[in-house]
Amino acid sequence: MARDRKLNQLIFILALIFMGVRINLIGSISLTEIYVLLQTPILIKWVINSSLPYLKTLCLLFLALILAQALSEYMVQNSFVNAVRGIAITIMALLLFLFFLKILLQDISLIKWIPIGLMIQLILWGDRFGYAETGEDTYFKFYVAPMIAYIVCYLSMSRINLFRKNILWIFLFASLFIIIGGARSSGFCLLFCALFYIIYRRYKSIKIKRI
């Protein structure tokens, strides 16, 4: 059991890191995505046997999206290669979601490795599409800003009282710094996380009726 847990931890961390290593086949694909594709039969069996609420419904909605996408590609008479690329992105998104969800459900403590793994990925390979290398603005937007966001996300899970007590201020200052630096999307994501935290602290729960 302990051996299986360590193996899952290793696979999870390496999957996060090697998302940044991409090769060109029909289109750009990462080493992690190739591994996940090989896990497709296992993931399908897991979904079929799973009692997780709404998981099968979510998969059916993804299938409906893929069919609609295929029909759309046919209607606009897109080239076969471009059509396959577009549909493959949607299929890959579903498989990656199932892959990471399956491992996290087995060991939720792995969630703290998500920001760590993404930081290591960024340090080793840079941003996956090379945008950070095209100028100072893009370097901040695609390298510095994500790194700050990953650090803040990790601190939000820290057990150190100093960080736990001041996590709201950390989110606020980090988000404003990133927004001022020009990475508005990343900055506003952190800012909305801070707002969500404030609302949760105020009401202790978020209910549809209250919304």
Side-chain angles (χ1 to χ4, degrees), residues 109-124:
S109 68
L110 286 172
I111 198 168
K112 66 178 179 290
W113 281 98
I114 294 176
I116 297 174
L118 293 175
M119 278 191 284
I120 295 171
Q121 176 200 128
L122 200 56
I123 292 168
L124 291 178

Side-chain angles (χ1 to χ4, degrees), residues 60-133:
L60 289 173
L61 289 173
F62 257 100
L63 288 175
L65 175 61
I66 292 166
L67 291 173
Q69 196 172 350
L71 180 61
S72 173
E73 296 288 356
Y74 175 77
M75 296 292 288
V76 300
Q77 297 183 337
N78 205 349
S79 68
F80 177 76
V81 173
N82 286 336
V84 169
R85 283 177 182 171
I87 294 169
I89 290 171
T90 306
I91 295 172
M92 200 68 248
L94 174 60
L95 292 176
L96 284 170
F97 170 78
L98 294 174
F99 172 76
F100 285 112
L101 177 65
K102 181 175 180 289
I103 296 180
L104 282 172
L105 288 175
Q106 292 170 350
D107 185 1
I108 193 60
S109 68
L110 286 172
I111 198 168
K112 66 178 179 290
W113 281 98
I114 294 176
I116 297 174
L118 293 175
M119 278 191 284
I120 295 171
Q121 176 200 128
L122 200 56
I123 292 168
L124 291 178
W125 324 116
D127 78 286
R128 67 182 67 177
F129 299 109
Y131 296 138
E133 300 173 5

Side-chain angles (χ1 to χ4, degrees), residues 33-196:
E33 289 167 339
I34 293 173
Y35 176 77
V36 171
L37 280 173
L38 297 175
Q39 298 295 306
T40 300
I42 296 172
L43 294 173
I44 292 173
K45 183 178 179 181
W46 176 68
V47 171
I48 292 171
N49 296 328
S50 176
S51 59
L52 193 67
Y54 307 117
L55 181 60
K56 292 184 179 67
T57 302
L58 179 65
C59 291
L60 289 173
L61 289 173
F62 257 100
L63 288 175
L65 175 61
I66 292 166
L67 291 173
Q69 196 172 350
L71 180 61
S72 173
E73 296 288 356
Y74 175 77
M75 296 292 288
V76 300
Q77 297 183 337
N78 205 349
S79 68
F80 177 76
V81 173
N82 286 336
V84 169
R85 283 177 182 171
I87 294 169
I89 290 171
T90 306
I91 295 172
M92 200 68 248
L94 174 60
L95 292 176
L96 284 170
F97 170 78
L98 294 174
F99 172 76
F100 285 112
L101 177 65
K102 181 175 180 289
I103 296 180
L104 282 172
L105 288 175
Q106 292 170 350
D107 185 1
I108 193 60
S109 68
L110 286 172
I111 198 168
K112 66 178 179 290
W113 281 98
I114 294 176
I116 297 174
L118 293 175
M119 278 191 284
I120 295 171
Q121 176 200 128
L122 200 56
I123 292 168
L124 291 178
W125 324 116
D127 78 286
R128 67 182 67 177
F129 299 109
Y131 296 138
E133 300 173 5
T134 60
E136 291 183 5
D137 293 341
T138 53
Y139 180 78
F140 182 88
K141 189 179 293 185
F142 294 101
Y143 191 89
V144 177
M147 189 67 74
I148 293 172
Y150 299 149
I151 292 170
V152 171
C153 287
Y154 179 75
L155 292 179
S156 70
M157 294 179 281
S158 174
R159 295 182 180 180
I160 300 173
N161 285 332
L162 177 65
F163 296 135
R164 291 177 67 128
K165 290 179 180 178
N166 297 290
I167 194 60
L168 176 60
W169 295 110
I170 293 172
F171 265 100
L172 285 173
F173 283 125
S175 63
L176 292 175
F177 177 76
I178 291 173
I179 291 169
I180 292 169
R184 289 184 296 275
S185 296
S186 298
F188 276 113
C189 283
L190 286 182
L191 184 61
F192 285 130
C193 285
L195 293 175
F196 183 85

